[in-house]
Amino acid sequence: MFWKRTVPAIIVAAVGVIMLLSWFIPHAPFGELEIHATQWYDIIASFAMLLGALNLLKLQGTKVVKRQKGWPFSLAAILAFFMTLLFGFMIKGGYYPNLVDLGHNEEAVFVKIAELTDTDGKVTEVDIDEVRILYTSPSAEGEPILLHKAVVSKKAANKVIDELNALGAKVELGELKWGAHVQGNQTYYRWVFYTFFTPLSATMFALLAFFVASASYRAFKIRNAEATVLLVSGILIMLGRVPLGAFLTAWTQDIPWLSWFHLPTIQEWLYQYPNAAGARAIMIGIGLGIVGTSLRVILGIEKSFMGGD
Amino acid sequence: MYIGILGAWIAVFLTLSILSYLYEDNVFYKLAEHIFVGVSAAHWATIAFWNQLQPNLFGRLWPQAEIATLEGFQKFWYGIYHVLHVIFGKIFPEAKVDGVIYRGIGDQPQNLSYLIALLLGVFMLFRLIPKIGWLSRWSLAYVVGMAAGLRLYGYMSSDVVGQIHATMLPLWTGDLASSINNIILIVGVLSGLFYFFFSVEHKGALKVVSKIGIYYLMIYFGASFGFAVMGRISLLIGRFNDLILYSGKQYGFATPILLVIMIVVLVLTTRKKKPEEEI
Amino acid sequence: MMLKRTVCLLLLLLGTISFAYADLEIHAEAKAKEPDGSIVNITITPIKGASKYKVEKSIAEGEWLTVLTTSGLSLDTNIGNDVQTRFRVQALDENDLVIAEAFSESIQTEAMWFNTRRLNRFIALMLISGVILYYISRARKNKKIYLRPVAGLQAFEEAVGRATEMGRSVLFVPGIMDLDQVETISGLIILGHVAKMTARYEADLNVPVSRSLVMESGRETVQASYISEGRPDLYSSDMVNYYTDDQFAFSAAVDGIMLREKPAAVFLQGKFYAESLIMAETGNSIGAIQIAGTGSPSQIPFFVTACDYTLIGEEFFAASAYLGDDPKLLGSIKGQDIAKALLMLLLVFGLITETIHTGIYNSDGFFLNLKSSGNDPSAVYEIISEASDKNINDVVAEYSNLGKEGKAVYIAKNKVTKGNALKILKKLEKEGAEVVLDENLDLKIKKNKWNLYKNLFAGS
Amino acid sequence: MAKITKFLEKLDSLDRRIIFLIIGLVVLFPLLVPLDLPIETTQLTEDAFNAIDQLPQEAKVLVSFEYGPSTKPELHPMAIGMLRHLFSKGNKVIVMCLWPDGLFMANEALEQVAHREFGLQYGVDYVNLGYRPGNEAIIKGITKSFEANFSIDSKGISITKIPIMHDIQTAKDVDFIFSLSAGYPGAIEWVLYAGDPLKVPVSSGNTSIQVNQLLPYVKSGQMKGIIAGMPGATEYETMVVEKIKNNTGLITEHAKTLLPVFETERNAKKFIGAQSIAHLAIVIFIILGNISFFVKRKNQRKY
């Protein structure tokens, strides 16, 4: 009881109060507490991710093992999971030829590099000039050559290195470090990110355009005064912000007393005043709600999320 | 973002699969959905590891140091690092530059208080052992306490006091139009706030005030909705533009080919389903 | 030999130069009233012949770190708190040769123990939490507290009941953010109440979550609820499942669950972002009763349009007081209300002082910025001369060359109000001039004591 | 008449897939066949355009890419339009990124404008320094030294070897900063940590949602205009084309020959057509939905 319920309650209260006070005490060690405290949280959350991953595998794995309905899809989820982990922790890519010395046959090397790094299928004088400027007298650590490839494996890099070395240049194998590979160029991980992750999340996001349309068709009905206000304000913003709105109400500009009815003008006013008022009221309310909830949590009045005995 | 021809085909396939959901729940959507869950779960775990655990936890416990200069406890401490290096070489790298051996990660100052964070993290994993699983509550308690303390001040300062400050506007500015605008704003904030009174019955004159408050809230909701429509449509335009790009020759006509295949499969599968339903 | 001689000569020469202008000085001073300390103001006394100054700070015995090479003579820089630091300046001539060197006295900065700039926030915190705490303690002494009905909250039980009748499950999504957001915690508290209902009604509960920590906390919550309702037999950890951290992958998964399991009641309670509409629309398409609640202002509109009931803003945080029967919670809601009333009073007082401040007393802050005089400047000059009480010849001389940024037109003291300024602006525009109304905030703040009240609320 | 009422009544329970289809077509069609909507320029965009237009030919401009694929449709057309404007005046451009995805966006934009259209030389006329993690710390860093933060460019070449960087030591040495920003870190950080302290003019292109947050900075002059969302991008594009057409201000001879390309390859204009029509379609949906709602209610009352 004490270890399972009282100690957590004490931790919540103590950490809460210390964090709150740290806002008012710039002196060390309180001053930088915010940075470290959130980082500790990130670390705990990172550990917890293992639990999440195991739970996901258990969830989808049971379906596969028990051959439940739709198990092939679960298998796909598991495979996708391990493919990404493989490229995150085992196979990296991101190799590059590192030019250390141009050798005696400089021009041929420049042309070769221009061909390798070219992005649009035709190597022009300008491309070669660029290469000439950038790769003349390479520094001691060498100058990396960024190949025009989605992913550069060790094999691919070595092939290019051999080609360049055959021209008399001195080229070595360079690679991105582990850790840098999740954001770096030409790694398998980035390829997975851009091939799978980006289109999937961007398309899920884009589905919203359709849902917004169907929601407005279905729900934007003049049922009562409130719904009418919502609808009118929505329409004014939608039309007022695009050239179409200005175009549709351009005629009002010729009549002085009507000039206020230019859609972009109405839209701007609505946004600056009534909308801002509504937004502030909501924000203040939410702010107080959060203050109240946080206080209740710190005081231990709310503790259901910590579980029972 | 050069992803090669194979990449383009996969990207187009996944894009179209998600879009096919608009027609109905189907095999393509299910497949894309499951791939998405799998890839993203591993993605966020990978990112958390390489961007959080490695640099911010291990990097703070063992910042890079020249082995030869270490003494006493630090020598022992980096000895542990060496053991970890032998087991997980990628995560705990060692470097040798001009014959000098360096151990450790990054250049943040050493901070051994992160051992507590490590401990709390390990407590989370005790969940896997039912008998001591309750220790994870300590970690949860830390997170909740931190959230409460941090957010309490943040919201109170910017969302409560800050907004009140911003609303202190003159009712008369010397100019009729801007005075009216200010009054409109102020009435809105006050009546909107009144709507959120829970312990007062909203009747009579108070009902009118809270009604006015609701109208303001509705204007805000309408405007946000309008803005969101704009943003969402922009996104869709972007997606369609990519699909048009990938229908080109250099990507092997990925979009039209995959689109046709998917439509055929969808039509065939729905046709097959219908007779079954009739029976 | 030759080389040696040249070097000697050069050194000698350098020495003479630096001797001749040996007045180079550097003075460092900790900036006063800096809550975080660490800021140092440096001033350099210049010498002849120097084109640049290289400023360095000491980081260890004999080790110097370049701060900046500058031609300016005053700068602010950071040093570590509680460490004795010295500065060194080297004067460089055009060829980047050092012609003189000087050291500052060693100084030390310190962070404050109380951030006085946040005093107002501290008082606000004490006030708000004091009021809430007072009402909590009052509620303990069994004072009845009335709460107005909130439609969405009354529908909770009905939704769970309907799911039971239909033999379908109840879906609860506690937002997509992690446990470090108060909204998520609030969502989990509401989950506790909903889980009690599903335990009572013996309805199936399904809680997909997108964070591992929330999964753990969610399991604790649901288990505790089932135990407290005396139905631990019905609880299983499979009720709460983690899918993925990713926003859209998670919403795809939730969509999948909705389409395939067809829950009869859907609760979306927590912090949501763009995915809110994806979930709410799908929930709507399967005909479930949907009750949403969130503290994310930007997502409320979507819930309002796509769900049956929505807990708006503060209603969401007050939900647990409605759903449970703890008098302490009721008390805290009452306290929040009183705090709100206090804030509204302060706001009204602020409105009054601001009105007095801007409308009646202060007006000096406003001026016009003339960007171009148009095709017929003479009329423009006349208006300006009248407005600013200046001789017309002076006006012509002053405003004939406006430059890129334009020139300020200050209206005569006895005539300045914002309204007047706007009137003059319109007159000028009629004559084809290009003018904008501008406001000098510094002038305004210095000018009027009525503004002090509003400033009490400033800061962050 | 009865038929119409019946139709309208049916509309109320319209299959949402039909709505989806219409929205899809309405967005797709203007992308394939661009519309020619008249474009009115607004003050905010004009301010940004003029600030850049007034830069002398030898000016060096720092462009920071802070957006990714999800906000690409709004911000990428701005990037293209602005780069065309700068290069058409002969300005040199230094690109950097504070978002990891920004690197890919920057490469794409430079590849199109600098490389394919203008045929400029990397390293001499423009450079891409790439992405560095650290958010506003990087901005603060480059106010002291570029080399300390960007020792190598996005191709991995050390910046001491890049001719354009030779006389640029700190952010103070650039004449203008332009931030293409979709959130944090972005335009606000540039104003606070570089523009204000160094007195280097800053302007920015933003998503439409962000604009309200940035308006105070524009009003106070801390930011020179702003390009807001897709409408802003369209206006900017139009202004660049008009400028070259009317031959006003600084324009290189090469840029004049590119006018046909600028006139035809206009993504923002293509996009804003789709955007306008989609908004109109949604408004029409709302109106139709309400008509059918009323007809239904009226008919129900009869019984």
Side-chain angles (χ1 to χ4, degrees):
Chain A
M1 177 69 188
F2 175 77
W3 297 108
K4 289 183 188 176
R5 275 186 77 84
T6 317
V7 172
I10 294 171
I11 295 178
V12 170
V15 174
V17 170
I18 293 172
M19 287 313 298
L20 190 54
L21 288 181
S22 77
W23 287 101
F24 300 101
I25 311 173
H27 202 282
F30 295 95
E32 47 189 27
L33 214 53
E34 187 200 339
I35 306 166
H36 291 302
T38 45
Q39 234 152 48
W40 284 25
Y41 148 74
D42 281 334
I43 289 166
I44 296 170
S46 304
F47 272 96
M49 267 189 186
L50 183 66
L51 297 176
L54 287 176
N55 183 63
L56 179 76
L57 289 177
K58 186 181 143 202
L59 195 72
Q60 306 289 356
T62 343
K63 279 191 189 161
V64 176
V65 173
K66 292 189 179 164
R67 293 285 192 277
Q68 282 170 357
K69 204 178 160 217
W71 67 268
F73 299 113
S74 297
L75 186 64
I78 295 173
L79 289 178
F81 182 83
F82 281 113
M83 172 192 71
T84 312
L85 276 195
L86 179 76
F87 294 141
F89 291 92
M90 308 294 284
I91 305 176
K92 173 166 59 84
Y95 291 91
Y96 54 86
N98 199 17
L99 182 74
V100 183
D101 189 60
L102 281 164
H104 47 84
N105 201 353
E106 291 192 1
E107 276 312 300
V109 175
F110 288 146
V111 173
K112 186 76 203 167
I113 294 176
E115 275 168 20
L116 291 169
T117 54
D118 176 58
T119 49
D120 55 3
K122 47 182 190 290
V123 179
T124 60
E125 258 318 300
V126 179
D127 293 336
I128 298 171
D129 262 1
E130 262 177 33
V131 171
R132 203 170 281 133
I133 292 167
L134 296 176
Y135 291 95
T136 304
S137 59
S139 60
E141 297 96 56
E143 305 288 351
I145 298 168
L146 215 62
L147 307 179
H148 182 59
K149 278 180 135 234
V151 179
V152 182
S153 62
K154 204 176 202 166
K155 208 174 133 196
N158 274 328
K159 194 176 152 230
V160 173
I161 292 170
D162 288 344
E163 283 172 26
L164 284 165
N165 284 344
L167 290 171
K170 192 180 168 211
V171 183
E172 288 168 353
L173 182 70
E175 66 173 315
L176 270 175
K177 279 197 189 123
W178 282 100
H181 72 298
V182 292
Q183 270 157 354
N185 268 325
Q186 299 173 322
T187 59
Y188 286 100
Y189 194 78
R190 273 279 117 172
W191 183 80
V192 167
F193 184 78
Y194 282 117
T195 308
F196 288 87
F197 191 84
T198 310
L200 280 167
S201 70
T203 315
M204 271 316 276
F205 209 167
L207 280 188
L208 282 169
F210 297 101
F211 289 141
V212 145
S214 82
S216 24
Y217 179 74
R218 213 194 47 252
F220 266 14
K221 300 270 161 84
I222 311 185
R223 282 195 198 87
N224 48 34
E226 287 122 43
T228 315
V229 173
L230 187 130
L231 182 138
V232 171
S233 131
I235 290 183
L236 286 176
I237 294 280
M238 261 183 254
L239 288 183
R241 282 263 157 171
V242 288
L244 193 70
F247 176 65
L248 289 177
T249 49
W251 54 275
T252 56
Q253 295 307 289
D254 305 330
I255 310 162
W257 56 272
L258 262 184
S259 66
W260 202 82
F261 285 91
H262 197 39
L263 263 178
T265 319
I266 303 181
Q267 175 270 128
E268 192 60 34
W269 176 82
L270 191 83
Y271 189 62
Q272 296 259 357
Y273 298 98
N275 165 66
R280 275 181 196 171
I282 282 255
M283 276 170 84
I284 298 172
I286 290 171
L288 276 172
I290 288 186
V291 170
T293 308
S294 304
L295 268 179
R296 295 198 290 267
V297 166
I298 293 176
L299 292 173
I301 298 174
E302 300 267 29
K303 53 191 171 207
S304 58
F305 49 84
M306 301 296 310
D309 301 319
Chain B
M1 240 161 48
Y2 181 69
I3 52 176
I5 291 186
L6 176 66
W9 275 73
I10 296 174
V12 169
F13 172 73
L14 294 173
T15 303
L16 291 175
S17 298
I18 293 283
L19 285 178
S20 75
Y21 166 74
L22 294 172
Y23 178 66
E24 63 176 15
D25 187 24
N26 63 66
V27 274
F28 294 115
Y29 176 74
K30 278 183 204 155
L31 182 65
E33 173 206 319
H34 282 84
I35 290 178
F36 196 8
V37 168
V39 168
S40 65
H43 169 66
W44 288 109
T46 310
I47 291 286
F49 186 86
W50 291 111
N51 286 355
Q52 281 300 335
L53 283 189
Q54 203 226 13
N56 284 338
L57 177 61
F58 302 136
R60 279 210 161 83
L61 296 177
W62 294 284
Q64 201 169 56
E66 207 183 310
I67 290 310
T69 62
L70 296 176
E71 284 166 6
F73 169 74
Q74 290 289 353
K75 200 170 181 180
F76 163 73
W77 185 237
Y78 277 83
I80 299 178
Y81 184 89
H82 183 66
V83 175
L84 290 168
H85 166 74
V86 173
I87 308 171
F88 309 106
K90 284 171 190 156
I91 300 163
F92 302 97
E94 287 190 1
K96 201 170 178 183
V97 183
D98 302 330
V100 183
I101 300 172
Y102 292 93
R103 282 185 196 148
I105 304 153
D107 51 3
Q108 278 164 318
Q110 192 176 43
N111 189 338
L112 291 181
S113 73
Y114 275 68
L115 281 171
I116 305 174
L118 175 67
L119 193 71
L120 288 173
V122 173
F123 278 2
M124 267 331 287
L125 296 184
F126 284 175
R127 276 269 150 184
L128 298 168
I129 312 161
K131 254 194 156 168
I132 46 170
W134 55 267
L135 266 173
S136 68
R137 283 188 191 173
W138 293 17
S139 320
L140 289 177
Y142 168 79
V143 173
V144 169
M146 182 215 74
L150 269 188
R151 310 289 169 217
L152 201 165
Y153 179 83
Y155 277 93
M156 188 208 64
S157 171
S158 60
D159 281 29
V160 180
V161 185
Q163 293 300 321
I164 296 275
H165 175 247
T167 313
M168 287 184 187
L169 297 166
L171 297 167
W172 177 250
T173 59
D175 167 56
L176 186 66
S178 64
S179 305
I180 292 178
N181 282 339
N182 279 356
I183 291 169
I184 287 176
L185 187 93
I186 289 155
V187 168
V189 174
L190 287 173
S191 60
L193 261 184
F194 182 77
Y195 171 78
F196 290 114
F197 269 93
F198 297 106
S199 55
V200 183
E201 206 172 339
H202 293 184
K203 60 179 182 187
L206 294 181
K207 195 175 176 181
V208 178
V209 178
S210 96
K211 212 57 201 194
I212 294 173
I214 295 184
Y215 289 149
Y216 272 97
L217 296 182
M218 287 298 155
I219 291 181
Y220 164 66
F221 294 155
S224 307
F225 200 92
F227 267 103
V229 168
M230 187 155 145
R232 309 298 185 239
I233 298 276
S234 300
L235 282 167
L236 183 63
I237 292 172
R239 217 71 286 268
F240 276 11
N241 200 48
D242 277 4
L243 284 180
I244 294 171
L245 176 78
Y246 290 140
S247 35
K249 196 182 162 198
Q250 74 266 40
Y251 291 105
F253 306 107
T255 311
I257 294 176
L258 284 170
L259 185 66
V260 170
I261 293 175
M262 285 176 77
I263 290 177
V264 170
V265 173
L266 281 181
V267 169
L268 285 180
T269 48
T270 33
R271 265 212 189 146
K272 230 169 48 185
K273 236 193 274 168
K274 266 187 189 149
E276 276 171 28
E277 279 165 4
E278 276 164 14
I279 301 161
Chain C
M1 198 62 201
M2 183 70 182
L3 192 77
K4 225 176 183 176
R5 228 181 248 173
T6 328
V7 169
C8 278
L9 212 71
L10 258 176
L11 277 176
L12 200 73
L13 198 71
L14 265 178
T16 347
I17 293 172
S18 47
F19 180 74
Y21 300 105
D23 298 319
L24 180 67
E25 269 178 41
I26 180 165
H27 179 68
E29 196 176 6
K31 203 168 173 192
K33 287 186 185 165
E34 264 313 307
D36 297 327
S38 89
I39 297 180
V40 176
N41 184 272
I42 293 174
T43 41
I44 300 165
T45 315
I47 54 164
K48 257 190 201 163
S51 67
K52 274 183 290 185
Y53 300 94
K54 185 175 169 193
V55 180
E56 293 166 308
K57 67 177 171 189
S58 62
I59 45 172
E61 197 54 46
E63 269 187 65
W64 297 89
L65 184 77
T66 308
V67 174
L68 183 73
T69 306
T70 170
S71 51
L73 297 173
S74 167
L75 61 127
D76 282 351
T77 183
N78 291 315
I79 61 172
N81 278 329
D82 308 319
V83 184
Q84 290 284 340
T85 307
R86 287 183 82 194
F87 286 88
R88 171 165 82 174
V89 63
Q90 291 179 323
L92 307 174
D93 68 1
E94 261 121 49
N95 305 320
D96 283 352
L97 286 173
V98 179
I99 53 173
E101 192 178 62
F103 294 88
S104 76
E105 59 278 48
S106 88
I107 60 160
Q108 186 172 342
T109 55
E110 197 186 0
M112 292 181 181
W113 276 105
F114 183 82
N115 187 344
T116 44
R117 288 190 196 164
R118 285 192 176 150
L119 181 65
N120 60 352
R121 296 302 197 257
F122 188 72
I123 294 169
L125 175 71
M126 290 295 126
L127 198 75
I128 295 173
S129 37
V131 170
I132 296 177
L133 289 179
Y134 171 73
Y135 278 92
I136 291 176
S137 72
R138 243 176 70 135
R140 276 184 184 157
K141 291 170 201 150
N142 215 0
K143 295 257 161 60
K144 279 244 169 207
I145 289 168
Y146 166 86
L147 287 189
R148 74 168 165 86
V150 172
L153 289 163
Q154 288 162 329
F156 267 65
E157 193 114 17
E158 180 201 327
V160 176
R162 201 178 82 142
T164 318
E165 273 168 30
M166 295 171 74
R168 301 228 212 113
S169 60
V170 172
L171 187 76
F172 191 105
V173 183
I176 62 151
M177 295 308 281
D178 212 337
L179 214 52
D180 68 328
Q181 300 290 331
V182 178
E183 283 99 322
T184 310
I185 298 173
S186 194
L188 286 171
I189 293 169
I190 297 175
L191 170 65
H193 295 292
V194 172
K196 278 182 188 166
M197 293 177 198
T198 56
R200 276 203 298 278
Y201 286 92
E202 298 184 12
D204 284 335
L205 177 65
N206 191 355
V207 187
V209 301
S210 99
R211 305 284 162 156
S212 310
L213 285 174
V214 181
M215 174 179 82
E216 293 307 335
S217 184
R219 285 180 176 169
E220 294 274 18
T221 312
V222 174
Q223 189 176 22
S225 294
Y226 274 78
I227 291 171
S228 80
E229 288 296 313
R231 300 306 303 266
D233 53 312
L234 290 179
Y235 169 77
S236 108
S237 66
D238 288 343
M239 287 173 165
V240 187
N241 274 313
Y242 165 86
Y243 285 83
T244 162
D245 273 48
D246 187 71
Q247 180 186 15
F248 289 111
F250 178 67
S251 56
V254 171
D255 271 10
I257 296 169
M258 285 186 185
L259 291 169
R260 283 148 226 160
E261 290 185 9
K262 304 235 168 2
V266 174
F267 293 90
L268 304 168
Q269 308 276 342
K271 195 172 179 93
F272 290 91
Y273 288 94
E275 74 294 334
S276 65
L277 188 64
I278 301 183
M279 294 184 193
E281 266 297 290
T282 308
N284 188 284
S285 77
I286 57 161
I289 289 195
Q290 296 200 91
I291 305 177
T294 184
S296 326
S298 53
Q299 300 311 321
I300 298 171
F302 300 107
F303 285 144
V304 170
T305 40
C307 293
D308 299 285
Y309 299 98
T310 308
L311 304 176
I312 298 169
E314 206 180 346
E315 290 175 352
F316 166 64
F317 296 100
S320 98
Y322 278 85
L323 295 171
D325 46 9
D326 188 346
K328 282 182 275 182
L329 292 177
L330 296 177
S332 82
I333 301 295
K334 178 81 188 173
Q336 256 165 262
D337 271 4
I338 302 297
K340 220 174 310 172
L342 269 175
L343 286 169
M344 283 165 84
L345 267 178
L346 291 172
L347 172 59
V348 169
F349 190 64
L351 296 173
I352 297 167
T353 59
E354 266 304 289
T355 309
I356 297 171
H357 161 70
T358 315
I360 300 165
Y361 285 91
N362 171 76
S363 7
D364 270 16
F366 294 102
F367 65 92
L368 296 171
N369 191 0
L370 185 67
K371 289 200 161 161
S372 103
S373 322
N375 297 326
D376 181 19
S378 61
V380 171
Y381 295 147
E382 257 172 53
I383 298 167
I384 293 176
S385 129
E386 197 201 346
S388 58
D389 277 346
K390 272 187 192 162
N391 186 316
I392 183 85
N393 291 333
D394 294 345
V395 170
V396 174
E398 194 178 345
Y399 295 100
S400 54
N401 184 14
L402 292 173
K404 249 185 208 165
E405 297 285 308
K407 244 178 201 166
V409 175
Y410 291 99
I411 300 160
K413 276 233 163 87
N414 50 359
K415 293 182 195 165
V416 217
T417 59
K418 193 177 178 186
N420 222 347
L422 278 171
K423 267 184 213 156
I424 295 165
L425 180 134
K426 283 203 180 115
K427 265 196 216 166
L428 288 169
E429 276 182 344
K430 228 181 198 172
E431 299 299 333
E434 202 183 312
V435 205
V436 277
L437 182 69
D438 227 323
E439 181 171 16
N440 185 340
L441 292 173
D442 291 342
L443 219 91
K444 231 174 136 178
I445 290 162
K446 271 182 213 147
K447 193 72 195 165
N448 206 299
K449 58 177 186 280
W450 286 100
N451 206 288
L452 285 176
Y453 177 77
K454 188 182 176 183
N455 287 339
L456 289 180
F457 294 81
S460 65
Chain D
M1 193 61 210
K3 254 186 184 170
I4 298 174
T5 20
K6 207 163 184 195
F7 169 72
L8 287 172
E9 246 180 82
K10 256 195 181 163
L11 264 185
D12 195 51
S13 49
L14 184 68
D15 189 337
R16 60 179 195 153
R17 280 181 287 191
I18 295 176
I19 299 173
F20 293 162
L21 182 69
I22 294 173
I23 286 293
L25 290 178
V26 146
V27 170
L28 188 62
F29 191 67
L31 287 180
L32 297 173
V33 187
L35 297 170
D36 205 15
L37 280 175
I39 287 146
E40 273 182 44
T41 55
T42 54
Q43 189 66 42
L44 286 176
T45 321
E46 283 166 19
D47 287 351
F49 180 88
N50 291 337
I52 291 179
D53 208 46
Q54 278 159 10
L55 294 172
Q57 186 158 16
E58 65 276 8
K60 294 195 167 101
V61 179
L62 178 69
V63 181
S64 182
F65 281 69
E66 291 125 16
Y67 64 96
S70 67
T71 39
K72 192 181 164 193
E74 281 186 278
L75 290 165
H76 206 64
M78 292 177 198
I80 303 283
M82 206 232 354
L83 287 176
R84 279 176 179 167
H85 188 195
L86 289 171
F87 289 135
S88 73
K89 292 169 58 212
N91 292 147
K92 312 256 165 181
V93 174
I94 298 139
V95 169
M96 58 176 273
C97 316
L98 293 177
W99 285 30
D101 289 342
L103 174 64
F104 299 92
M105 302 293 122
N107 276 339
E108 220 169 286
L110 289 172
E111 169 67 26
Q112 184 192 334
V113 182
H115 189 109
R116 278 211 305 274
E117 290 175 3
F118 282 87
L120 296 169
Q121 246 171 26
Y122 183 88
V124 178
D125 300 301
Y126 66 102
V127 67
N128 184 357
L129 298 178
Y131 162 76
R132 289 292 179 281
N135 303 335
E136 66 266 29
I138 297 295
I139 303 180
K140 282 186 208 163
I142 61 165
T143 60
K144 304 227 173 72
S145 156
F146 264 106
E147 213 187 321
N149 293 280
F150 292 92
S151 53
I152 51 169
D153 75 346
S154 63
K155 300 188 181 207
I157 292 164
S158 71
I159 73 164
T160 48
K161 303 196 60 193
I162 297 168
I164 187 175
M165 296 306 289
H166 283 167
D167 44 358
I168 294 183
Q169 257 77 51
T170 72
K172 206 176 166 53
D173 299 325
V174 301
D175 301 277
F176 198 86
I177 296 172
F178 196 92
S179 148
L180 291 152
S181 122
Y184 167 85
I188 294 181
E189 284 71 31
W190 278 107
V191 171
L192 294 182
Y193 301 115
D196 280 358
L198 299 182
K199 304 276 174 273
V200 177
V202 177
S203 183
S204 142
N206 284 277
T207 56
S208 39
I209 311 252
Q210 269 191 300
V211 174
N212 217 37
Q213 236 182 324
L214 293 166
L215 268 184
Y217 296 101
V218 181
K219 278 189 177 159
S220 62
Q222 287 162 288
M223 201 183 271
K224 310 282 172 228
I226 199 173
I227 313 179
M230 206 164 313
T234 320
E235 291 168 28
Y236 200 93
E237 232 179 39
T238 311
M239 279 188 256
V240 174
V241 170
E242 289 295 314
K243 180 198 159 177
I244 299 177
K245 226 189 227 167
N246 301 335
N247 203 1
T248 46
L250 200 60
I251 308 171
T252 61
E253 284 308 312
H254 184 52
K256 286 178 193 162
T257 62
L258 287 170
L259 181 64
V261 180
F262 294 171
E263 271 187 310
T264 47
E265 285 184 28
R266 297 182 58 182
N267 263 345
K269 197 171 176 206
K270 197 162 84 183
F271 288 173
I272 199 77
Q275 181 103 39
S276 297
I277 300 299
H279 284 201
L280 188 67
I282 289 177
V283 171
I284 291 173
F285 276 136
I286 296 175
I287 295 171
L288 273 182
N290 275 291
I291 293 174
S292 73
F293 174 68
F294 268 101
V295 172
K296 206 172 169 187
R297 208 160 61 171
K298 217 170 156 190
N299 286 356
Q300 276 166 351
R301 272 191 206 138
K302 280 181 195 164
Y303 305 108

